[in-house]
Amino acid sequence: VKTIVELFSEKLIAEMSAYDHTDLMFEPPSGPDSKTFTALGMIAFICPCLVDRHEVDIWNFIDEKKQSFGATLFFDENVQGGSFPRDLITEFKEWGRKGYMHSRWFLKGIPFDFVNFHLFHDESNTTAMGAAENSTSIYALARKKAFEYVIKSTTWCDSNNIIIFGDFNFRLHLKAVIDWINQEAQKEQDQNGKLENDNNNEKAGNVKSEHHHGEVESSKIETPVTVGKKTFKLKPEFFKFFTRQQKNLHKHDIEKYTVIREDDSLGLNFFELPISFPPTYPYTESQPNQPKLYPFGDTRC
């Protein structure tokens, strides 16, 4: 009986007929209760327009030598990595499926290291909001620590051709984003002459915390965004802040500069390709029949 991974892989490969050959790498399941299972995987498609499949080799980490390119299904001698050491991050009791996988490929004899990351997520929006502007949250610091652990503990190829990807779980700086939304909402209300001068009410730009999961409700007035431990609800009339003002949001994408950067301790110069699309996290992940008026999820930013 074929596993879900095998069925998924076969269907995906059938759709990618333009590629000459495919290599699949997945971590073998170790049980739903395992604390080391990362559920990581990588599928490599070889395009004949760039390189012939016979000009592609993959590194054997056990025998420490190149070997001919060939399909595999689960982690073997061609992959190293796994779950992060349990003593690396002590701030969190539960990690989820966090870890990395590293493979090395040779294209026409030139080595390339590929690393698939799954870094820690933000467990609580309200905790993340505690980080001052231009500073990092405890979750961002954990992601930085895990990233640096992999960079420092891995022996890289001589060419330093390193490509990193995966689920970094990077977030926009939450407090800065909320402050910006509040300011923009207030400016818009001022321009439209809709700002109420009621001394008994707070300005409409204030953030409201949900009385949910132990959170405290600070205001009962209408607000642009409601933030709770697992809640980030943006009112529909303010969706435009995420769809029409992308450049303003990019300036709050500061975590990549604290995690993926060049410094003396890492000795590697990582850079990110230009971004021309809006942040992807706010978009809903379900409800295919959901009205287009509400394209965003309501758990995170």
Side-chain angles (χ1 to χ4, degrees), residues 180-181 184-185 187-189 191-192 194 234-249 278-279 283 293 295-296:
W180 173 70
I181 292 175
E184 292 298 307
K187 283 195 299 185
E188 185 173 282
Q189 290 174 347
Q191 292 171 357
N192 295 335
K194 294 181 179 179
L234 188 65
K235 294 183 66 176
E237 57 265 38
F238 297 106
F239 286 169
K240 59 190 174 186
F241 291 158
F242 284 86
T243 57
R244 302 178 190 172
Q245 301 191 36
Q246 301 168 19
K247 292 183 179 179
N248 290 319
L249 285 170
Y283 288 96
L293 182 62
F296 295 107

Side-chain angles (χ1 to χ4, degrees), residues 68-95:
S68 299
F69 176 74
T72 61
L73 185 59
F74 291 113
F75 274 19
D76 57 11
E77 66 272 11
N78 301 127
V79 178
Q80 62 180 6
S83 179
F84 297 118
R86 301 305 297 180
D87 59 352
L88 180 65
I89 307 295
T90 59
E91 293 87 348
F92 311 140
K93 292 182 179 180
E94 297 296 333
W95 285 13

Side-chain angles (χ1 to χ4, degrees), residues 144 148 151-152 261-269:
K144 182 176 187 293
E148 291 183 347
I151 299 303
K152 293 178 180 179
R261 60 185 174 82
E262 179 185 14
D263 62 20
D264 294 335
S265 64
L266 299 182
L268 297 169
N269 186 15

Side-chain angles (χ1 to χ4, degrees), residues 129-181:
M129 279 181 60
E133 191 168 357
N134 296 323
S135 65
T136 53
S137 69
I138 61 170
Y139 307 113
L141 290 174
R143 290 189 282 268
K144 182 176 187 293
K145 187 181 295 186
F147 180 83
E148 291 183 347
Y149 163 79
V150 175
I151 299 303
K152 293 178 180 179
S153 62
T154 300
T155 300
W156 303 105
C157 60
D158 294 336
S159 66
N160 273 351
N161 293 324
I162 304 170
I163 300 173
I164 59 177
F165 58 97
D167 186 358
F168 291 97
N169 267 312
F170 286 177
R171 301 289 199 269
L172 299 178
H173 193 288
L174 189 56
K175 184 179 184 302
V177 169
I178 291 173
D179 288 344
W180 173 70
I181 292 175

